[in-house]
Amino acid sequence: MTTPSASASNTKTSKQNITKHLTHKLLLINGVNLNLLGKREPEIYGHTTLADIEKRLIARAAEHGIELICIQSNHEGKLVDDIQHYGLLANATEQVDAIIINPAAFTHTSVALRDALLGTQKPFIEVHLSNVHAREPFRHHSYLSDVAVGVICGLGHLGYQMALTYWLDHLYSIDMSDIDTYSIHSSN
């Protein structure tokens, strides 16, 4: 298991490596059951669909010359394959600079996703629609949070927007200080 100090060191090294060869590509990963957003337990996850979230994020990234690659799978191995491909195995011009991931239930079970993310040496932000710490005790543990740059939870679909804003500002040096995050979402 990576300790927090080793994690911070890995993140710093990773950030130094990626700023040398930016591809202006980000990877958005959504895990198990997130294809059901807007239909499944809307009292917890809201009425916004995954397609709505992706459409808004793709448009926002494109406004700044960034390509957002979106993947979703209910299969852990498929997500691992995609993380490996876009993070390490693709040719250098196809690799992503950083990752936004909502691993959903895989948060609490998947050492494989953790290892794949660490293997890419790409920084990532973990996002959750609900506040996992206010839910069942088994949801309180994440296999990813101690190696993530940050974790955003409980803010619904705005959490994705905040993660994208962070990468635009901190990775690509796009001044996002005058952006009103709340004006970018649609009503539920």
Side-chain angles (χ1 to χ4, degrees), residues 23-28 57-58 61-62 64-70 86 93-94 96-98 164 172:
T23 62
H24 293 83
K25 295 175 194 266
L26 295 172
L27 182 61
L28 174 62
L57 293 175
I58 289 168
H64 300 287
I66 308 301
E67 178 184 352
L68 184 68
I69 301 163
C70 302
Y86 289 109
T93 60
E94 293 178 17
V96 296
D97 299 321
L164 177 59
Y172 301 112

Side-chain angles (χ1 to χ4, degrees), residues 20-174:
K20 293 178 184 174
H21 306 288
L22 293 175
T23 62
H24 293 83
K25 295 175 194 266
L26 295 172
L27 182 61
L28 174 62
I29 302 167
N30 280 286
V32 65
N33 293 322
L34 291 173
N35 57 309
L36 300 177
L37 284 180
K39 295 181 172 127
R40 176 184 172 236
E41 299 177 279
E43 68 282 1
I44 295 173
Y45 302 109
H47 296 279
T48 305
T49 68
L50 183 57
D52 295 335
I53 292 168
E54 290 175 345
K55 182 179 176 182
R56 279 195 301 272
L57 293 175
I58 289 168
R60 176 114 186 271
E63 288 173 9
H64 300 287
I66 308 301
E67 178 184 352
L68 184 68
I69 301 163
C70 302
I71 59 171
Q72 186 280 326
S73 182
N74 294 322
H75 305 281
E76 184 181 40
K78 170 73 168 110
L79 295 175
V80 168
D81 287 344
D82 287 341
I83 291 167
Q84 289 176 352
H85 173 76
Y86 289 109
L88 198 59
L89 298 177
N91 71 49
T93 60
E94 293 178 17
Q95 291 183 19
V96 296
D97 299 321
I99 299 168
I100 300 168
I101 182 169
N102 182 343
F106 292 138
T107 304
H108 325 292
T109 63
S110 185
V111 174
L113 284 180
R114 176 192 175 96
D115 288 348
L117 288 162
L118 286 172
T120 68
Q121 298 182 1
K122 306 290 182 185
F124 69 92
I125 296 174
E126 180 181 347
V127 175
H128 297 282
L129 294 158
S130 67
N131 180 352
V132 294
H133 303 290
R135 297 185 62 196
E136 304 92 339
F138 70 87
R139 296 187 193 276
H140 299 179
H141 175 74
S142 168
Y143 279 98
L144 307 181
S145 61
D146 68 311
V147 292
V149 170
V151 178
I152 303 169
C153 70
L155 302 178
H157 61 88
L158 288 177
Y160 289 97
Q161 193 68 50
M162 292 173 180
L164 177 59
T165 298
Y166 179 87
W167 289 133
L168 293 174
D169 187 38
H170 289 81
L171 187 60
Y172 301 112
S173 300
I174 298 168

